[in-house]
Amino acid sequence: MRRRRAIKGSPLERDVTPEPLFLDRRRMLGLGAGFAGTGILAGTGILAGCGSSPTGLRWPTGHRVEEAPASPPYPVARNQRISVPLPPTPIAHFESYNNYIEFSAQSKELPKSRAQALPLRPWTVAVDGQVHRPGVFTMEDLLRRMPFEERVSRFRCVEAWAMVVPWTGFPLAALLALAQPMGSARFVAFRSVSKPDLMPGMSVSEHFPWPYTEALTIHEAMHPLTLLAMGAYGRPLAAQSGAPVRLVVPWKYGFKSAKAIVRITLSAQRPDTFWNSLQPEEYGFYANVNPAKAHPRWPQHTERLLPDFRRQPTLPYNGYGDAVAGLYRGDEH
Ligand SMILES: Nc1nc2c(c(=O)[nH]1)N[C@H]1C(S)=C(S)[C@@H](COP(=O)(O)O)O[C@H]1N2
Ligand SMILES: [Mo]
């Protein structure tokens, strides 16, 4: 891929994270303004014109937090500026063709029936590590306090199939703002729930480095396109889709988007992650969708779009290059 002059001195090359960015909570919650100020989104097409916030909906003001219903008001307003103008994959296909290796390492169909055994409440997400204010959030906390919106995104698995999904969620940056990352935090790790008794795939693949984990750089994690989803298609996520809360990073291969998250840990060092530690040649740490990068098992220049698996070209960064290419030098994989 062509080296881009504009990326010199990109966030990845910087050792020191600009702490004031994280400490100014007011600015952080107005994500658009905060990010525009850093230059990370300079020249972006997809996010241009977002105004002071890329999020379409705030919890109605005037509600005392503890009185607010613990559910986003489905359907949540769509953020048109971030959404792609494509017809969503039918929900029946989204909810019955799944990768969820804890439930089955082989089958795309078994997660749907097996995942129903997973209790989705009570459920908490811990946010810890290099943060000034570590915390444990219940799902009700998140539903009351986070700025939910709907956004229609492309989703691309490294196995070369693709979907278009209307997610309901909130920018991960909004949750990280509450935890106040330290200047030393350079990576954000995600840990999926681990319940071997309920998850038959875990014992079939017992040599795998459970639990399922993934990670992003702090700059990827703070990017407005990085979503924590609790719903899709205007309703709460199905268990097999990663309920009650999962990551969605639309410019990366799907394995980065960890399901059923229970812990988010900020660190100075890059953490080991599940697929990358098993097969680094097949599952790069960055895993940005890249049609030009050969893959040992799946050619990446085209993809098959659900529901009919029509073949179409794959786009660099899954079509989100204008918004995210500035995060990279171009040789990350
Ligand atoms: N915990 C966990 N998260 C996971 C996976 C998994 O096996 N376990 N599979 C990943 C992969 S490879 C993909 S493509 C997506 C699939 O999401 P979907 O089933 O909603 O399409 O989830 C990702 N998140
Ligand atoms: Mo995947």
Side-chain angles (χ1 to χ4, degrees), residues 62-74:
H63 253 130
R64 296 227 323 268
V65 158
E66 61 275 20
E67 287 172 355
S71 166
Y74 286 115

Side-chain angles (χ1 to χ4, degrees), residues 94 97-102 155-158 161 163 167 192 212 240-242 246 254-260 275:
F94 169 75
Y97 186 87
N98 298 101
N99 271 343
Y100 206 157
I101 188 175
E102 291 91 330
F155 189 89
R156 171 62 154 81
C157 175
V158 73
W161 52 265
M163 324 182 271
W167 302 104
S192 295
Y212 194 100
Q240 66 273 25
S241 302
R246 71 172 290 174
F255 68 87
K256 298 295 290 181
S257 294
K259 294 178 168 182
W275 287 115

Side-chain angles (χ1 to χ4, degrees), residues 13-308:
E13 291 171 9
R14 274 184 234 136
D15 274 332
V16 182
T17 303
E19 182 148 18
L21 172 67
F22 302 121
L23 292 183
D24 186 344
R25 185 158 150 213
R26 223 176 7 156
R27 194 174 57 164
M28 188 55 59
L29 289 169
L31 295 167
F35 276 92
T38 69
I40 290 174
L41 295 184
T44 64
I46 190 165
L47 297 172
C50 285
S52 62
S53 170
T55 58
L57 188 119
R58 300 277 177 219
W59 196 262
T61 49
H63 253 130
R64 296 227 323 268
V65 158
E66 61 275 20
E67 287 172 355
S71 166
Y74 286 115
V76 173
R78 181 173 295 180
N79 182 336
Q80 297 289 1
R81 290 194 180 92
I82 281 183
S83 293
V84 292
L86 297 171
T89 300
I91 185 172
H93 297 263
F94 169 75
E95 291 189 345
S96 56
Y97 186 87
N98 298 101
N99 271 343
Y100 206 157
I101 188 175
E102 291 91 330
F103 290 103
S104 172
Q106 306 295 332
S107 164
K108 298 271 190 282
E109 290 75 31
L110 279 174
K112 181 176 184 173
S113 51
R114 292 183 171 174
Q116 307 314 316
L118 184 67
L120 303 177
R121 295 289 191 282
W123 192 285
T124 56
V125 175
V127 183
D128 63 7
Q130 308 268 297
V131 293
H132 292 290
R133 307 197 66 181
V136 176
F137 297 85
T138 65
M139 293 304 93
E140 291 69 31
D141 291 334
L142 298 181
L143 289 164
R144 289 190 187 105
R145 297 175 69 183
M146 292 290 107
F148 279 84
E149 64 180 39
E150 180 175 89
R151 45 173 86 173
V152 183
S153 312
R154 293 192 180 87
F155 189 89
R156 171 62 154 81
C157 175
V158 73
E159 296 162 346
W161 52 265
M163 324 182 271
V164 175
V165 182
W167 302 104
T168 300
F170 55 88
L172 172 62
L175 178 58
L176 295 182
L178 294 182
Q180 298 180 11
M182 295 177 183
S184 52
R186 295 179 62 224
F187 294 91
V188 181
F190 305 86
R191 188 201 291 184
S192 295
V193 73
S194 169
K195 294 207 181 282
D197 295 349
L198 303 176
M199 298 175 137
M202 293 183 72
S203 35
V204 172
S205 308
E206 59 183 349
H207 57 290
F208 282 9
W210 304 109
Y212 194 100
T213 52
E214 260 308 333
L216 300 170
T217 69
I218 185 88
H219 298 283
E220 294 172 334
M222 299 297 288
H223 194 284
L225 282 177
T226 301
L227 193 76
L228 280 181
M230 294 184 68
Y233 297 82
R235 62 195 212 200
L237 280 179
Q240 66 273 25
S241 302
V245 59
R246 71 172 290 174
L247 192 61
V248 178
V249 192
W251 72 94
K252 292 178 180 284
Y253 293 121
F255 68 87
K256 298 295 290 181
S257 294
K259 294 178 168 182
I261 292 170
V262 293
R263 185 171 291 270
I264 298 175
T265 303
L266 287 78
S267 62
Q269 304 302 322
R270 191 176 111 179
D272 287 340
T273 54
F274 184 85
W275 287 115
N276 183 254
S277 52
L278 274 170
Q279 290 261 43
E281 329 75 49
E282 297 202 3
Y283 304 97
F285 176 79
Y286 288 95
N288 295 322
V289 173
N290 184 354
K293 171 124 182 25
H295 186 282
R297 277 197 280 170
W298 303 282
Q300 297 296 0
H301 51 281
T302 61
E303 61 202 24
R304 295 171 307 125
L305 182 68
L306 269 69
D308 50 6

